[in-house]
Amino acid sequence: MLYDLIIIGGGPAGYIAAERAGHAGMKTLLIEKKFIGGVCLNEGCIPSKTLLNSAKIYDYARHGEKYGVTTEGAALDHGAVVKRKNKVVKMLVSGITAALKKNGVTVLEAAGVITGRNTEGFNVEAGGETHTGKRLLIATGSNSIIPPIPGAKEGLEKGFVLTNREILDLTEIPNSLAVVGGGVIGLEMASYFNSAGSKVTVIEMLDHIAGNTDIEISKLLMNNYIKKGIDFHLSAKVTEITGDSVVFEKDGAKVNLVCDKVLMSVGRRPATEGLGLESINVETERGHIKTDLTGRTNIPGVYAAGDVNGVYMLAHAAYREAEVCVNNMLGKRDRVRYDSIPAVTYTNPEVGSVGETEESAAAKGIECKVSSISMRYSGRYVAENEGGDGICKVIADKKTNRIIGVHMIGSYPSEIIFGAGMMIEMEMRIEDIKELVFPHPTVSEIIREAIFAFE
Ligand code: NAI
């Protein structure tokens, strides 16, 4: 069968592209080998947020006395949390399936392999048939990295080592959990399992957690979690995983950390293996498909979006990339602007950031000015956060006064940060934002406060 567009991979990039293309009247085939919604919906963003919400409710219940609320016998029933998580996932997956149907997309549950091209387009083998697409969008996502640490693979096979996939389906809370990698997945899962009662230890190779996050915010987040009982080992190198422990080197000493489970969260790798990219000569670089800002690969008619392009492994970046690809296929000029894509870590407190940090601006030689204020400038924050120590940092280009970065730790940054992204996207200056009205009392007002606090 000949299609206008064949999409391989039904995660956020694939399903959004399919919906948009179908809606625009393109005859679209979406090939997905596992489950519609991909990692994000089935074993990533949504399931983890469901768990984290239960942890937040439990934490409020246990520590309500600060707010004049006493609760006796509060308990977190992990089995019930996982059951609800499965219900949430099922509901959202069926919503996406319905949206695909509504937009006339043909969905094929099979593994797709590119086998070459003919005069009409690109051939993809799936479900025992060859399908041809005038255009091709590769949206196969990424897989967890299992580093070549002795014992890691064996531990995974035995169920001692887990990835983001298995950890979300644990039936019981482990007494102790070692988290290898203090990035987003590691920190969000450390947050849930700490609240749920595990003794959590994070082992991170770098001298700070949370990757490229503003350094001050990264330290604040770590201090919050140290107070909650999580142990951190920074600048630590994991050398071995035995039957019941993680072995790592730190400050020249060897440490043997005995634990019940190990979460391996050291990053993800684009999923390009066995896809048949070589059959049509799609260019890859260190495992990811090379694309430009319009989503085009080196082969005309072949696009890639989402984690597989290795640019910005976030579901919302994938959505935008997918839309940009479809718009360009339809002849509408469009491109992704990566400098205004926000990132959030859904710990408690949450971290939200967009644009340049002081460190990244300095590395690019951008002269900037910074306004950094306590979240306590927000009345709503103080009302809701007894003893909270959050901050908000706004970074502006010194020459133009344009906002180039906003970084927050506290409550609701996940809901506020898009507005900051918009300020960057719209190239707003400090004086432009002074004219905006923020609803009162909200934590979002902190941005206004930070703007007026600029020297
Ligand atoms: P990550 O790249 O965020 O963090 C991995 C961490 O592991 C880094 O800090 C790195 O220094 C450390 N590391 C690497 N090798 C190590 C080793 N051998 N020993 C100790 N530490 C080591 O990767 P993560 O957390 O696995 O997440 C994968 C992807 O999923 C990311 O691209 C992330 O953006 C995305 N994601 C996004 C979420 C969100 O937006 N809230 C939530 C979860 C995942």
PDB file of all heavy atoms in Angstrom, residues 389-417:
ATOM      1  N   ASP A 389      12.626  26.910  51.041  1.00  0.00           N
ATOM      2  CA  ASP A 389      13.836  27.676  50.718  1.00  0.00           C
ATOM      3  C   ASP A 389      14.047  27.799  49.206  1.00  0.00           C
ATOM      4  O   ASP A 389      15.171  27.887  48.724  1.00  0.00           O
ATOM      5  CB  ASP A 389      15.077  27.037  51.372  1.00  0.00           C
ATOM      6  CG  ASP A 389      15.298  25.604  50.914  1.00  0.00           C
ATOM      7  OD1 ASP A 389      14.475  25.093  50.127  1.00  0.00           O
ATOM      8  OD2 ASP A 389      16.293  24.986  51.328  1.00  0.00           O
ATOM      9  N   GLY A 390      12.942  27.820  48.450  1.00  0.00           N
ATOM     10  CA  GLY A 390      13.054  27.901  46.992  1.00  0.00           C
ATOM     11  C   GLY A 390      13.609  29.231  46.501  1.00  0.00           C
ATOM     12  O   GLY A 390      13.603  30.224  47.229  1.00  0.00           O
ATOM     13  N   ILE A 391      14.080  29.228  45.275  1.00  0.00           N
ATOM     14  CA  ILE A 391      14.558  30.474  44.663  1.00  0.00           C
ATOM     15  C   ILE A 391      14.075  30.570  43.213  1.00  0.00           C
ATOM     16  O   ILE A 391      13.686  29.575  42.609  1.00  0.00           O
ATOM     17  CB  ILE A 391      16.108  30.625  44.681  1.00  0.00           C
ATOM     18  CG1 ILE A 391      16.792  29.492  43.899  1.00  0.00           C
ATOM     19  CG2 ILE A 391      16.642  30.705  46.082  1.00  0.00           C
ATOM     20  CD1 ILE A 391      18.272  29.770  43.610  1.00  0.00           C
ATOM     21  N   CYS A 392      14.138  31.797  42.695  1.00  0.00           N
ATOM     22  CA  CYS A 392      13.850  32.031  41.278  1.00  0.00           C
ATOM     23  C   CYS A 392      14.967  32.923  40.737  1.00  0.00           C
ATOM     24  O   CYS A 392      15.331  33.924  41.369  1.00  0.00           O
ATOM     25  CB  CYS A 392      12.507  32.714  41.111  1.00  0.00           C
ATOM     26  SG  CYS A 392      12.192  33.244  39.417  1.00  0.00           S
ATOM     27  N   LYS A 393      15.493  32.531  39.605  1.00  0.00           N
ATOM     28  CA  LYS A 393      16.603  33.266  39.017  1.00  0.00           C
ATOM     29  C   LYS A 393      16.233  33.651  37.595  1.00  0.00           C
ATOM     30  O   LYS A 393      15.841  32.783  36.808  1.00  0.00           O
ATOM     31  CB  LYS A 393      17.782  32.285  38.943  1.00  0.00           C
ATOM     32  CG  LYS A 393      19.097  32.854  39.309  1.00  0.00           C
ATOM     33  CD  LYS A 393      20.147  31.766  39.232  1.00  0.00           C
ATOM     34  CE  LYS A 393      20.961  31.717  40.487  1.00  0.00           C
ATOM     35  NZ  LYS A 393      22.171  30.931  40.337  1.00  0.00           N
ATOM     36  N   VAL A 394      16.328  34.930  37.285  1.00  0.00           N
ATOM     37  CA  VAL A 394      16.061  35.360  35.914  1.00  0.00           C
ATOM     38  C   VAL A 394      17.371  35.882  35.341  1.00  0.00           C
ATOM     39  O   VAL A 394      18.084  36.661  36.000  1.00  0.00           O
ATOM     40  CB  VAL A 394      14.966  36.445  35.851  1.00  0.00           C
ATOM     41  CG1 VAL A 394      14.749  36.914  34.420  1.00  0.00           C
ATOM     42  CG2 VAL A 394      13.648  35.912  36.421  1.00  0.00           C
ATOM     43  N   ILE A 395      17.683  35.451  34.133  1.00  0.00           N
ATOM     44  CA  ILE A 395      18.935  35.849  33.491  1.00  0.00           C
ATOM     45  C   ILE A 395      18.616  36.652  32.234  1.00  0.00           C
ATOM     46  O   ILE A 395      17.788  36.226  31.414  1.00  0.00           O
ATOM     47  CB  ILE A 395      19.778  34.600  33.141  1.00  0.00           C
ATOM     48  CG1 ILE A 395      20.066  33.849  34.456  1.00  0.00           C
ATOM     49  CG2 ILE A 395      21.067  34.956  32.417  1.00  0.00           C
ATOM     50  CD1 ILE A 395      20.743  32.550  34.288  1.00  0.00           C
ATOM     51  N   ALA A 396      19.248  37.823  32.126  1.00  0.00           N
ATOM     52  CA  ALA A 396      19.000  38.674  30.957  1.00  0.00           C
ATOM     53  C   ALA A 396      20.315  39.001  30.269  1.00  0.00           C
ATOM     54  O   ALA A 396      21.373  39.059  30.919  1.00  0.00           O
ATOM     55  CB  ALA A 396      18.304  39.958  31.391  1.00  0.00           C
ATOM     56  N   ASP A 397      20.233  39.202  28.961  1.00  0.00           N
ATOM     57  CA  ASP A 397      21.400  39.619  28.190  1.00  0.00           C
ATOM     58  C   ASP A 397      21.714  41.069  28.587  1.00  0.00           C
ATOM     59  O   ASP A 397      20.837  41.935  28.523  1.00  0.00           O
ATOM     60  CB  ASP A 397      21.059  39.516  26.694  1.00  0.00           C
ATOM     61  CG  ASP A 397      22.248  39.810  25.806  1.00  0.00           C
ATOM     62  OD1 ASP A 397      22.914  40.845  26.039  1.00  0.00           O
ATOM     63  OD2 ASP A 397      22.495  39.023  24.880  1.00  0.00           O
ATOM     64  N   LYS A 398      22.951  41.309  28.993  1.00  0.00           N
ATOM     65  CA  LYS A 398      23.319  42.630  29.515  1.00  0.00           C
ATOM     66  C   LYS A 398      23.178  43.722  28.454  1.00  0.00           C
ATOM     67  O   LYS A 398      22.764  44.841  28.753  1.00  0.00           O
ATOM     68  CB  LYS A 398      24.783  42.584  29.998  1.00  0.00           C
ATOM     69  CG  LYS A 398      25.076  43.532  31.121  1.00  0.00           C
ATOM     70  CD  LYS A 398      26.442  43.245  31.686  1.00  0.00           C
ATOM     71  CE  LYS A 398      26.683  44.102  32.910  1.00  0.00           C
ATOM     72  NZ  LYS A 398      27.936  43.765  33.552  1.00  0.00           N
ATOM     73  N   LYS A 399      23.457  43.365  27.201  1.00  0.00           N
ATOM     74  CA  LYS A 399      23.426  44.376  26.135  1.00  0.00           C
ATOM     75  C   LYS A 399      22.008  44.724  25.726  1.00  0.00           C
ATOM     76  O   LYS A 399      21.661  45.880  25.532  1.00  0.00           O
ATOM     77  CB  LYS A 399      24.165  43.845  24.908  1.00  0.00           C
ATOM     78  CG  LYS A 399      25.669  43.968  25.022  1.00  0.00           C
ATOM     79  CD  LYS A 399      26.319  43.831  23.640  1.00  0.00           C
ATOM     80  CE  LYS A 399      27.758  43.413  23.818  1.00  0.00           C
ATOM     81  NZ  LYS A 399      28.009  42.028  23.475  1.00  0.00           N
ATOM     82  N   THR A 400      21.150  43.677  25.575  1.00  0.00           N
ATOM     83  CA  THR A 400      19.821  43.915  24.986  1.00  0.00           C
ATOM     84  C   THR A 400      18.700  43.947  26.026  1.00  0.00           C
ATOM     85  O   THR A 400      17.575  44.310  25.705  1.00  0.00           O
ATOM     86  CB  THR A 400      19.481  42.795  23.991  1.00  0.00           C
ATOM     87  OG1 THR A 400      19.488  41.561  24.725  1.00  0.00           O
ATOM     88  CG2 THR A 400      20.479  42.717  22.855  1.00  0.00           C
ATOM     89  N   ASN A 401      18.998  43.519  27.244  1.00  0.00           N
ATOM     90  CA  ASN A 401      17.979  43.413  28.301  1.00  0.00           C
ATOM     91  C   ASN A 401      16.991  42.269  28.046  1.00  0.00           C
ATOM     92  O   ASN A 401      15.987  42.155  28.750  1.00  0.00           O
ATOM     93  CB  ASN A 401      17.203  44.725  28.470  1.00  0.00           C
ATOM     94  CG  ASN A 401      17.683  45.481  29.685  1.00  0.00           C
ATOM     95  OD1 ASN A 401      18.640  45.070  30.342  1.00  0.00           O
ATOM     96  ND2 ASN A 401      17.034  46.590  29.989  1.00  0.00           N
ATOM     97  N   ARG A 402      17.230  41.459  27.010  1.00  0.00           N
ATOM     98  CA  ARG A 402      16.312  40.356  26.721  1.00  0.00           C
ATOM     99  C   ARG A 402      16.476  39.231  27.747  1.00  0.00           C
ATOM    100  O   ARG A 402      17.597  38.925  28.160  1.00  0.00           O
ATOM    101  CB  ARG A 402      16.617  39.771  25.343  1.00  0.00           C
ATOM    102  CG  ARG A 402      15.903  40.486  24.262  1.00  0.00           C
ATOM    103  CD  ARG A 402      16.060  39.730  22.975  1.00  0.00           C
ATOM    104  NE  ARG A 402      15.724  40.599  21.869  1.00  0.00           N
ATOM    105  CZ  ARG A 402      16.251  40.517  20.663  1.00  0.00           C
ATOM    106  NH1 ARG A 402      17.150  39.594  20.396  1.00  0.00           N
ATOM    107  NH2 ARG A 402      15.877  41.330  19.721  1.00  0.00           N
ATOM    108  N   ILE A 403      15.352  38.608  28.077  1.00  0.00           N
ATOM    109  CA  ILE A 403      15.396  37.462  28.999  1.00  0.00           C
ATOM    110  C   ILE A 403      15.972  36.272  28.232  1.00  0.00           C
ATOM    111  O   ILE A 403      15.480  35.932  27.150  1.00  0.00           O
ATOM    112  CB  ILE A 403      13.968  37.107  29.500  1.00  0.00           C
ATOM    113  CG1 ILE A 403      13.301  38.342  30.116  1.00  0.00           C
ATOM    114  CG2 ILE A 403      13.989  35.942  30.483  1.00  0.00           C
ATOM    115  CD1 ILE A 403      14.064  38.988  31.246  1.00  0.00           C
ATOM    116  N   ILE A 404      16.996  35.640  28.809  1.00  0.00           N
ATOM    117  CA  ILE A 404      17.587  34.480  28.120  1.00  0.00           C
ATOM    118  C   ILE A 404      17.523  33.208  28.960  1.00  0.00           C
ATOM    119  O   ILE A 404      17.841  32.127  28.474  1.00  0.00           O
ATOM    120  CB  ILE A 404      19.036  34.761  27.650  1.00  0.00           C
ATOM    121  CG1 ILE A 404      19.929  35.169  28.834  1.00  0.00           C
ATOM    122  CG2 ILE A 404      19.062  35.798  26.531  1.00  0.00           C
ATOM    123  CD1 ILE A 404      21.417  35.164  28.476  1.00  0.00           C
ATOM    124  N   GLY A 405      17.109  33.347  30.229  1.00  0.00           N
ATOM    125  CA  GLY A 405      16.987  32.143  31.052  1.00  0.00           C
ATOM    126  C   GLY A 405      16.184  32.397  32.307  1.00  0.00           C
ATOM    127  O   GLY A 405      16.207  33.497  32.850  1.00  0.00           O
ATOM    128  N   VAL A 406      15.415  31.370  32.731  1.00  0.00           N
ATOM    129  CA  VAL A 406      14.697  31.445  34.007  1.00  0.00           C
ATOM    130  C   VAL A 406      14.830  30.074  34.674  1.00  0.00           C
ATOM    131  O   VAL A 406      14.653  29.038  34.022  1.00  0.00           O
ATOM    132  CB  VAL A 406      13.203  31.814  33.809  1.00  0.00           C
ATOM    133  CG1 VAL A 406      12.461  31.787  35.148  1.00  0.00           C
ATOM    134  CG2 VAL A 406      13.059  33.198  33.172  1.00  0.00           C
ATOM    135  N   HIS A 407      15.154  30.100  35.968  1.00  0.00           N
ATOM    136  CA  HIS A 407      15.397  28.852  36.702  1.00  0.00           C
ATOM    137  C   HIS A 407      14.729  28.943  38.057  1.00  0.00           C
ATOM    138  O   HIS A 407      14.888  29.948  38.754  1.00  0.00           O
ATOM    139  CB  HIS A 407      16.901  28.625  36.848  1.00  0.00           C
ATOM    140  CG  HIS A 407      17.596  28.718  35.525  1.00  0.00           C
ATOM    141  ND1 HIS A 407      17.704  27.654  34.675  1.00  0.00           N
ATOM    142  CD2 HIS A 407      18.115  29.793  34.874  1.00  0.00           C
ATOM    143  CE1 HIS A 407      18.290  28.054  33.559  1.00  0.00           C
ATOM    144  NE2 HIS A 407      18.548  29.352  33.649  1.00  0.00           N
ATOM    145  N   MET A 408      13.984  27.921  38.424  1.00  0.00           N
ATOM    146  CA  MET A 408      13.233  27.989  39.673  1.00  0.00           C
ATOM    147  C   MET A 408      13.280  26.661  40.408  1.00  0.00           C
ATOM    148  O   MET A 408      13.268  25.608  39.794  1.00  0.00           O
ATOM    149  CB  MET A 408      11.737  28.272  39.401  1.00  0.00           C
ATOM    150  CG  MET A 408      11.466  29.289  38.356  1.00  0.00           C
ATOM    151  SD  MET A 408       9.738  29.251  37.842  1.00  0.00           S
ATOM    152  CE  MET A 408       9.044  30.116  39.202  1.00  0.00           C
ATOM    153  N   ILE A 409      13.286  26.754  41.742  1.00  0.00           N
ATOM    154  CA  ILE A 409      13.067  25.564  42.568  1.00  0.00           C
ATOM    155  C   ILE A 409      12.051  25.983  43.624  1.00  0.00           C
ATOM    156  O   ILE A 409      12.196  27.032  44.249  1.00  0.00           O
ATOM    157  CB  ILE A 409      14.378  25.016  43.187  1.00  0.00           C
ATOM    158  CG1 ILE A 409      14.071  23.800  44.083  1.00  0.00           C
ATOM    159  CG2 ILE A 409      15.167  26.069  43.966  1.00  0.00           C
ATOM    160  CD1 ILE A 409      15.311  23.001  44.489  1.00  0.00           C
ATOM    161  N   GLY A 410      11.000  25.200  43.779  1.00  0.00           N
ATOM    162  CA  GLY A 410       9.958  25.561  44.730  1.00  0.00           C
ATOM    163  C   GLY A 410       8.661  24.860  44.371  1.00  0.00           C
ATOM    164  O   GLY A 410       8.681  23.694  43.943  1.00  0.00           O
ATOM    165  N   SER A 411       7.542  25.585  44.492  1.00  0.00           N
ATOM    166  CA  SER A 411       6.287  24.920  44.125  1.00  0.00           C
ATOM    167  C   SER A 411       5.780  25.430  42.778  1.00  0.00           C
ATOM    168  O   SER A 411       5.936  26.607  42.448  1.00  0.00           O
ATOM    169  CB  SER A 411       5.220  25.102  45.208  1.00  0.00           C
ATOM    170  OG  SER A 411       5.287  26.365  45.793  1.00  0.00           O
ATOM    171  N   TYR A 412       5.210  24.524  42.054  1.00  0.00           N
ATOM    172  CA  TYR A 412       4.589  24.742  40.730  1.00  0.00           C
ATOM    173  C   TYR A 412       5.497  25.201  39.580  1.00  0.00           C
ATOM    174  O   TYR A 412       4.952  25.648  38.561  1.00  0.00           O
ATOM    175  CB  TYR A 412       3.417  25.743  40.817  1.00  0.00           C
ATOM    176  CG  TYR A 412       2.474  25.561  41.975  1.00  0.00           C
ATOM    177  CD1 TYR A 412       2.256  26.574  42.901  1.00  0.00           C
ATOM    178  CD2 TYR A 412       1.785  24.359  42.134  1.00  0.00           C
ATOM    179  CE1 TYR A 412       1.384  26.409  43.960  1.00  0.00           C
ATOM    180  CE2 TYR A 412       0.909  24.181  43.210  1.00  0.00           C
ATOM    181  CZ  TYR A 412       0.716  25.215  44.116  1.00  0.00           C
ATOM    182  OH  TYR A 412      -0.150  25.057  45.161  1.00  0.00           O
ATOM    183  N   PRO A 413       6.826  25.134  39.667  1.00  0.00           N
ATOM    184  CA  PRO A 413       7.581  25.570  38.484  1.00  0.00           C
ATOM    185  C   PRO A 413       7.164  24.840  37.215  1.00  0.00           C
ATOM    186  O   PRO A 413       7.196  25.414  36.130  1.00  0.00           O
ATOM    187  CB  PRO A 413       9.045  25.283  38.829  1.00  0.00           C
ATOM    188  CG  PRO A 413       9.075  24.661  40.139  1.00  0.00           C
ATOM    189  CD  PRO A 413       7.737  24.761  40.766  1.00  0.00           C
ATOM    190  N   SER A 414       6.715  23.579  37.376  1.00  0.00           N
ATOM    191  CA  SER A 414       6.294  22.825  36.182  1.00  0.00           C
ATOM    192  C   SER A 414       5.146  23.533  35.473  1.00  0.00           C
ATOM    193  O   SER A 414       5.004  23.419  34.256  1.00  0.00           O
ATOM    194  CB  SER A 414       5.875  21.407  36.571  1.00  0.00           C
ATOM    195  OG  SER A 414       4.861  21.441  37.550  1.00  0.00           O
ATOM    196  N   GLU A 415       4.309  24.247  36.221  1.00  0.00           N
ATOM    197  CA  GLU A 415       3.160  24.919  35.623  1.00  0.00           C
ATOM    198  C   GLU A 415       3.479  26.367  35.234  1.00  0.00           C
ATOM    199  O   GLU A 415       2.735  26.986  34.497  1.00  0.00           O
ATOM    200  CB  GLU A 415       1.970  24.898  36.592  1.00  0.00           C
ATOM    201  CG  GLU A 415       1.460  23.502  36.934  1.00  0.00           C
ATOM    202  CD  GLU A 415       0.849  22.785  35.732  1.00  0.00           C
ATOM    203  OE1 GLU A 415       0.468  23.450  34.768  1.00  0.00           O
ATOM    204  OE2 GLU A 415       0.784  21.541  35.769  1.00  0.00           O
ATOM    205  N   ILE A 416       4.557  26.897  35.779  1.00  0.00           N
ATOM    206  CA  ILE A 416       4.878  28.320  35.558  1.00  0.00           C
ATOM    207  C   ILE A 416       5.883  28.511  34.415  1.00  0.00           C
ATOM    208  O   ILE A 416       5.837  29.499  33.692  1.00  0.00           O
ATOM    209  CB  ILE A 416       5.469  28.937  36.854  1.00  0.00           C
ATOM    210  CG1 ILE A 416       4.432  28.881  37.984  1.00  0.00           C
ATOM    211  CG2 ILE A 416       5.950  30.367  36.638  1.00  0.00           C
ATOM    212  CD1 ILE A 416       5.006  29.220  39.353  1.00  0.00           C
ATOM    213  N   ILE A 417       6.759  27.515  34.265  1.00  0.00           N
ATOM    214  CA  ILE A 417       7.941  27.733  33.427  1.00  0.00           C
ATOM    215  C   ILE A 417       7.615  27.970  31.948  1.00  0.00           C
ATOM    216  O   ILE A 417       8.386  28.598  31.223  1.00  0.00           O
ATOM    217  CB  ILE A 417       8.959  26.573  33.635  1.00  0.00           C
ATOM    218  CG1 ILE A 417      10.370  27.016  33.259  1.00  0.00           C
ATOM    219  CG2 ILE A 417       8.572  25.302  32.905  1.00  0.00           C
ATOM    220  CD1 ILE A 417      11.017  27.968  34.199  1.00  0.00           C
TER     221      ILE A 417
END
